[in-house]
Amino acid sequence: MLAMLGEIDDICRKHKIEYCLFAGSGLGAERHSGFIPWDDDADIVMTLDNYEKFLRVFDGEAKEGRTLNCLEKSSAYPFTYARYVDTTTAAIQRHSAFGGCDPGIKIDIFFVVPTYDDLKKAEKHRLEILAFSEVICPYAIMHHYRPEGYADAYKAEKKLFDRLGREKYIARRMPKLKEIKKSGSSRCVLFSGMMSNSYILDTDIFDEIEYVRFENTELPVSMQNIKLTRELYGERWISKPKTLDIPRHTYLLDTERPYNEYLDKLWNKCDYRENERNTAARRDMHIYERDTFKDVFINDQRLRNLAVKLGTDNAYSKLNEGEKAAWPQLSQLFENYYNVQLKSINKHYNLFIDLNNDTFKAAMDTAVMTDRYYDAADILKIGDMSGSMPYTGEMMQDIRERIDTCRKITETLYIENDLNKTAELIDDIADPLLCDSLTVKTASLWLRAAEAAKHDASQGNAFDELLAEVDLSAEAYGFPGELLAVKGYCLEIKGQLKEAEAVYEKAAKNTCNGFVYQWLADKGFITYEYKYE
């Protein structure tokens, strides 16, 4: 994949085509300086003008064994974005049985199109792209929760599709959806419905790019890559997945044999035309039935009981150590809330949460205290989009300020690697709850350990006191991987390498911080196993 990205980069540089890494690849560039280790494809994105220029020049630049699959070249192709494919390999996915694209190792090429500045008009445009994407895909039943008005858009597109037929429908609708607004807009829409959703983005995200280290080469990212990544994945982009069920896309991978050797066997085992008809029927039923699902009432009594336990002032400081270690359950307090809203990004349903103010604030403060500030940020984002958040005023402002401080410290320490600026941010904190939070505690101890390493001051009493403080903090927070990593670092500085290795191994199992996780992987304490069956 890295070689294929290099080939695309060569074409784009030669013809002055601007693009940048996107989605998982953009996240990987930021968090891993390369591929997400458990990912199995790569993604780039272009503006519409650059995308159309890439299509024009591709045939004259394509290398042997490479092809470009896209709807502009074949109406049988099932996606709205393009794929750059290595035809000498096999990367078979479930949908490969339907045909329409070459299932080799691939790079997904997304593009964004200008849309209206008016958000309501932009949302209508987005819904039409979503519906178009679903109608032309012969096997898809989109797994995202559909926003208000989606079913009407889908019915209109499906009616036109059935009347015109696939080829004429695509020829009529795709140009109109691409160029609904020629230029000059401050907003754009991702022309895809396959990434759980399409997205309305600020056009200036794609105005400037910079080349950054990606594996052993350099590739372009948006100058606002963190903003773009946050738009796609929320604050959770900074955390590693709870489980690494890898890979998610590919079911059979062979880097030495072409996919044709597998497809004949696959097609002999299924009637993909019948599957296609059945899928379309189930999709229609799924969409029409879900259109009546508008209101969601959240009252999970099991989790509610745990939250109520914290529903008093300064509740966190009153918990015993065992209760503090129960934060994973608290971070799941709004699990249903996430499932309904976060998977679709924009406004969908009215939500009603059966929690009083004290309980809600305690749960949010606990998320911040335990370095799960992105959980709290996602909850606020949902509330802002749905208009259903019942909590307002000073309480909400305190929560927002705490989330913002944790975000700044995390990004300054792990992304910018600016120890001095991190120290300044910590010194400016006056909030007692934040001072005692895992984010601030971990950053403070990292800074002190780094300072000791810088001055080779690992043998004195002060360093022993630092190590003892790390031990106490790790115990107080239930031995999270972030603090265990600091302890391992201190032991490494002290020259106790075997002890450091043992602690690093524990840290790798207990951290949810993606940057700490990657730091441990770089030191060899995490290995990624890819299993294709």
Side-chain angles (χ1 to χ4, degrees):
M1 285 193 295
L2 189 61
M4 294 171 71
L5 283 170
E7 293 161 10
I8 291 176
D9 191 60
D10 289 342
I11 295 173
C12 290
R13 284 177 183 258
K14 179 179 178 180
H15 292 279
K16 295 181 171 52
I17 296 170
E18 292 187 354
Y19 79 99
C20 62
L21 298 175
F22 183 61
S25 298
L27 189 158
E30 206 65 58
R31 198 173 69 194
H32 304 275
S33 297
F35 293 109
I36 297 175
W38 48 89
D39 204 357
D40 62 348
D41 71 349
D43 310 288
I44 65 173
V45 66
M46 306 174 179
T47 62
L48 178 60
D49 290 344
N50 284 291
Y51 175 74
E52 291 182 336
K53 187 174 182 180
F54 184 83
L55 296 184
R56 290 196 299 270
V57 306
F58 178 79
D59 288 341
E61 298 290 347
K63 290 190 174 185
E64 185 177 355
R66 303 288 191 261
T67 191
L68 186 69
N69 292 168
C70 61
L71 201 56
E72 290 84 355
K73 291 178 177 289
S74 171
S75 62
Y77 181 67
F79 305 122
T80 49
Y81 57 90
R83 283 182 167 178
Y84 181 60
V85 182
D86 179 351
T87 59
T88 68
T89 62
I92 307 294
Q93 301 177 323
R94 284 182 297 183
H95 62 69
S96 299
F98 288 96
C101 57
D102 298 299
I105 292 175
K106 63 184 175 62
I107 309 295
D108 289 335
I109 304 175
F110 295 91
F111 62 96
V112 295
V113 299
T115 191
Y116 300 98
D117 288 320
D118 183 274
L119 195 54
K120 288 185 178 180
K121 290 183 178 180
E123 173 67 2
K124 182 177 183 295
H125 185 196
R126 185 184 77 89
L127 294 182
E128 290 173 344
I129 291 173
L130 277 175
F132 175 83
S133 301
E134 192 158 8
V135 165
I136 61 107
C137 190
Y139 51 80
I141 297 180
M142 300 300 184
H143 62 272
H144 57 73
Y145 288 92
R146 291 170 181 79
E148 184 178 348
Y150 178 79
D152 291 337
Y154 175 83
K155 291 172 187 177
E157 297 295 333
K158 185 64 169 22
K159 183 178 180 181
L160 188 61
F161 178 91
D162 291 340
R163 181 166 64 84
L164 296 178
R166 181 181 182 85
E167 190 169 344
K168 289 183 179 180
Y169 167 76
I170 292 171
R172 176 184 293 191
R173 288 297 288 152
M174 193 169 187
K176 290 183 178 180
L177 291 172
K178 278 184 176 181
E179 299 186 2
I180 200 165
K181 195 172 190 306
K182 293 288 185 180
S183 61
S185 174
S186 63
R187 303 183 192 276
C188 58
V189 178
L190 181 68
F191 201 88
S192 172
M194 298 302 296
M195 290 183 57
S196 299
N197 218 322
S198 183
Y199 295 85
I200 298 173
L201 302 167
D202 292 334
T203 304
D204 64 5
I205 287 177
F206 304 101
D207 284 349
E208 296 182 86
I209 63 169
E210 61 177 339
Y211 276 76
V212 300
R213 183 169 75 86
F214 192 89
E215 301 296 341
N216 61 355
T217 187
E218 290 190 344
L219 292 171
V221 298
S222 165
M223 291 283 282
Q224 301 184 55
N225 190 39
I226 292 178
K227 177 182 177 181
L228 176 57
T229 303
R230 189 179 289 125
E231 286 288 335
L232 299 181
Y233 298 105
E235 296 294 340
R236 288 174 171 270
W237 77 273
I238 208 166
S239 66
K240 76 176 182 69
K242 292 179 180 178
T243 58
L244 301 183
D245 296 326
I246 54 176
R248 295 298 180 90
H249 303 99
T250 303
Y251 290 82
L252 183 152
L253 177 66
D254 193 329
T255 60
E256 297 180 355
R257 298 169 63 189
Y259 52 81
N260 288 333
E261 296 187 21
Y262 295 96
L263 288 186
D264 289 342
K265 296 178 182 179
L266 189 61
W267 284 337
N268 286 336
K269 290 184 178 181
C270 67
D271 183 346
Y272 67 91
R273 293 300 181 194
E274 180 64 22
N275 288 343
E276 188 176 312
R277 287 190 292 271
N278 290 341
T279 299
R282 286 190 293 119
R283 178 177 59 203
D284 291 350
M285 181 177 67
H286 183 65
I287 290 172
Y288 299 155
E289 286 184 351
R290 290 303 299 272
D291 191 37
T292 61
F293 183 42
K294 293 297 173 94
D295 295 339
V296 181
F297 188 88
I298 304 300
N299 183 4
D300 185 327
Q301 192 61 42
R302 176 180 61 85
L303 294 172
R304 177 181 166 82
N305 290 340
L306 182 58
V308 168
K309 189 173 183 180
L310 295 176
T312 58
D313 291 338
N314 301 316
Y316 188 84
S317 62
K318 298 177 183 178
L319 295 182
N320 61 42
E321 302 307 329
E323 289 172 329
K324 286 183 181 179
W327 61 259
Q329 291 173 277
L330 282 169
S331 71
Q332 293 298 306
L333 177 64
F334 295 93
E335 180 179 9
N336 295 331
Y337 202 15
Y338 295 148
N339 286 340
V340 172
Q341 283 293 93
L342 280 184
K343 289 182 178 178
S344 48
I345 304 302
N346 290 289
K347 180 179 178 180
H348 310 298
Y349 308 112
N350 296 316
L351 301 180
F352 304 93
I353 309 172
D354 185 19
L355 294 174
N356 62 40
N357 282 15
D358 288 339
T359 302
F360 175 81
K361 183 177 185 300
M364 295 286 274
D365 284 345
T366 303
V368 173
M369 283 292 297
T370 54
D371 203 23
R372 266 53 183 181
Y373 67 87
Y374 40 79
D375 281 350
D378 281 344
I379 292 168
L380 293 185
K381 183 176 181 181
I382 297 165
D384 290 342
M385 290 185 297
S386 68
S388 63
M389 189 69 77
Y391 315 103
T392 57
E394 185 177 343
M395 181 184 80
M396 295 298 289
Q397 184 60 30
D398 288 346
I399 293 170
R400 291 181 192 278
E401 289 177 358
R402 287 167 179 166
I403 291 169
D404 189 52
T405 300
C406 289
R407 178 195 298 129
K408 287 179 180 177
I409 290 173
T410 300
E411 293 181 356
T412 303
L413 178 62
Y414 296 113
I415 300 174
E416 300 174 19
N417 296 312
D418 190 330
L419 302 184
N420 292 330
K421 187 176 178 182
T422 303
E424 291 174 3
L425 289 171
I426 292 173
D427 289 342
D428 288 341
I429 296 174
D431 184 341
L433 185 143
L434 269 183
C435 289
D436 200 31
S437 68
L438 180 56
T439 303
V440 174
K441 181 68 69 175
T442 302
S444 299
L445 294 172
W446 268 117
L447 293 178
R448 291 168 60 187
E451 188 69 17
K454 180 180 177 181
H455 296 288
D456 194 24
S458 62
Q459 303 305 320
N461 291 334
F463 193 82
D464 289 337
E465 291 174 2
L466 170 61
L467 192 54
E469 185 176 345
V470 173
D471 277 333
L472 287 172
S473 298
E475 183 179 0
Y477 284 93
F479 299 100
E482 295 86 337
L483 286 173
L484 289 175
V486 179
K487 180 180 179 180
Y489 183 42
C490 289
L491 292 170
E492 185 180 348
I493 294 170
K494 203 171 177 62
Q496 299 176 7
L497 300 185
K498 287 187 177 180
E499 293 88 342
E501 289 181 5
V503 174
Y504 280 146
E505 289 176 358
K506 292 180 181 178
K509 296 177 181 178
N510 291 345
T511 185
C512 285
N513 184 305
F515 291 101
V516 174
Y517 195 74
Q518 186 60 33
W519 184 76
L520 291 166
D522 291 342
K523 295 177 79 66
F525 293 98
I526 298 173
T527 57
Y528 306 108
E529 296 181 3
Y530 297 83
K531 297 179 181 179
Y532 295 88
E533 298 180 356

